[in-house]
Structure formats: C-alpha cells, structure tokens
Amino acid sequence: MGRHSRILQPIVDHEPVSNGHDDLIRALYQEFGSSLMAFVLKLTGHDRQWAEDVVQETLIKAWRNAGKLDRQPEMLRAWLFTVARRIVIDGWRSRSARPQEVEELESDSIGVPDESEKTLAAMIVYEALRNLSPEQREAVQQTYLRDRTVNEVAATLGVPPGTVKSRIHHAVRALRRALQERG
C-alpha cells in the first residue's frame, strides 16, 4: 500500500461517526487538497476565490456522504474530482443563465449623450433643402429619404429617368455647396 493508504487507513477500518467524518475530511484535504485545487483552478479559469469555494463545497459533499464513499484512495480521488467538475459546470451554467452583475453608478456620474450636434446638423440640412427648387427637393426626397429608385421616381413624377438623375445631380451639388458654406 502506498502513501494514500497510510493516511486513510485509520478511517477505512471502521464506519465513521461524527468524529470520523471530520477525520475523513482532514485526511481528504491533506491528501488531495492541493491537486484538487490545481484541477479546479484550471476549470474556473484561474479564479482563485471560486476555486476555493468549489474545493470547500466538494469536501462538504464528501463529509455529507462519508458513510457511502468507497474508501480506496483512487476511488476517493475520482469521486472528489468528479464532484468538483460538476460543481464548476453548474457554476458556469448559472453564470451564463443570469445577467452579468454590474456596479450601480451614481446618477451624477451617468453621461447623457449630447444630441445638439445631430440637431444642428439636421437644421443645416433642412435649411439647405429649403433652398433647392421644388423639383430638385422632390427628387432628393423621393430617392434618398423614401429609398426609391430613379425609375420609380420618374414614373411617379411623370418625367423621364434622365430628368430625375439631372435634378438629383444638381440638387446634390447645391446641397454640398450650401453645407460647405455653413461649415
């Protein structure tokens, strides 16, 4: 028998009572604690606090099931590692099932987006559109704002597609000039 049996032998020979459970947990921790911790650290993405919680929960489950455990060291090791892996899996599942907790911000520190730039730009574009001829404005509104094709706009207005293209071309140039003048 190896070093495992020397440590666990006093517990193997008799059915544990409350004191035996405590001895079993001490022996399990002494024998498997560091390898179990290393295993759980990998599973938790090196989250030490979570890993310590998992090892503790694993040992508590061993304590609760002390009367049912197979006391052979290799069986105990397999049982502990399986229980720890299941606890971590449950932890990952519950973490992904609930939203990430975020720190609550003070209302004074919450930034409100400044919409003044957008408003100013919209006013400038609106003013520039008002300076177009009614035909040019209609062509721009139909094609750009209502997302219609040149052929659809031509059919709606009763003019050839080339006329619509020409109106759009001149309107875009006029808008560009007006916007450049306004900065």
Side-chain angles (χ1 to χ4, degrees):
M1 293 189 151
R3 68 183 186 123
H4 295 290
S5 58
R6 189 168 26 93
I7 293 170
L8 298 175
Q9 190 60 43
I11 302 163
V12 173
D13 292 335
H14 62 283
E15 194 61 33
V17 291
S18 130
N19 224 2
H21 290 344
D22 295 342
D23 291 342
L24 172 67
I25 298 309
R26 275 191 215 94
L28 290 175
Y29 185 76
Q30 191 173 24
E31 187 63 34
F32 302 112
S34 56
S35 60
L36 184 62
M37 182 63 160
F39 174 72
V40 173
L41 271 170
K42 288 178 188 174
L43 294 177
T44 61
H46 299 283
D47 182 334
R48 185 154 195 85
Q49 183 177 359
W50 185 18
E52 289 172 356
D53 289 346
V54 170
V55 169
Q56 183 178 8
E57 189 175 342
T58 302
L59 292 173
I60 289 170
K61 287 184 185 250
W63 182 77
R64 287 182 181 150
N65 292 291
K68 303 174 195 170
L69 292 176
D70 184 336
R71 301 299 174 91
Q72 296 176 21
E74 56 277 350
M75 297 304 290
L76 284 171
R77 178 181 167 81
W79 188 90
L80 290 169
F81 279 63
T82 299
V83 169
R85 185 176 54 81
R86 288 180 180 158
I87 292 169
V88 171
I89 289 170
D90 289 346
W92 281 116
R93 286 180 181 154
S94 67
R95 286 179 180 203
S96 65
R98 67 175 177 249
Q100 181 85 18
E101 293 179 13
V102 293
E103 190 175 313
E104 189 173 324
L105 298 175
E106 293 180 26
S107 61
D108 294 344
S109 67
I110 297 174
V112 178
D114 185 7
E115 299 289 326
S116 62
E117 292 287 326
K118 287 182 181 179
T119 304
L120 184 58
M123 290 170 58
I124 292 170
V125 170
Y126 176 76
E127 187 64 33
L129 281 169
R130 280 189 32 193
N131 292 330
L132 296 176
S133 72
E135 294 83 12
Q136 289 174 338
R137 190 170 39 253
E138 182 69 23
V140 168
Q141 287 176 339
Q142 291 289 326
T143 55
Y144 286 103
L145 302 178
R146 294 193 182 139
D147 201 27
R148 292 185 173 167
T149 66
V150 170
N151 289 337
E152 290 172 339
V153 174
T156 302
L157 298 176
V159 296
T163 303
V164 174
K165 287 180 186 178
S166 176
R167 288 177 183 172
I168 292 171
H169 173 75
H170 291 292
V172 169
R173 285 182 55 189
L175 286 171
R176 190 173 294 134
R177 256 190 328 270
L179 294 174
Q180 284 174 346
E181 289 172 4
R182 290 177 174 93

